[in-house]
Amino acid sequence: MELVGAHEIRIMLGGISKQRVYVITSHRNFPEPVADLMQGKVWLKADVQAWIKQHRPELAAD
């Protein structure tokens, strides 16, 4: 099971700002985090990759 946090998501989305990743991950269509740790939320990498493929296909890793 691979997990990603906000920093990894920023990279996956092309180096967006911390503020922008917060807005995106707070949106109702973004996958739910699997945990909310003291250092922040974490998501399943596969869920984030699926979201990117659907909503930002130009950034999807093949």
Side-chain angles (χ1 to χ4, degrees):
M1 171 181 4
E2 288 188 75
L3 302 174
V4 293
H7 180 78
E8 291 83 7
I9 294 170
R10 287 178 62 204
I11 293 167
M12 294 168 77
L13 290 172
I16 62 174
S17 70
K18 292 178 184 180
Q19 294 82 6
R20 185 69 183 137
V21 80
Y22 175 79
V23 169
I24 290 171
T25 58
S26 297
H27 198 274
R28 68 175 185 252
N29 73 0
F30 198 80
E32 289 291 319
V34 293
D36 191 354
L37 308 174
M38 294 208 42
Q39 70 182 38
K41 296 176 182 179
V42 291
W43 292 262
L44 287 175
K45 185 175 184 179
D47 290 349
V48 175
Q49 288 172 323
W51 184 90
I52 291 171
K53 188 173 184 177
Q54 181 178 5
H55 297 277
R56 305 286 195 283
E58 69 280 6
L59 298 174
D62 293 326

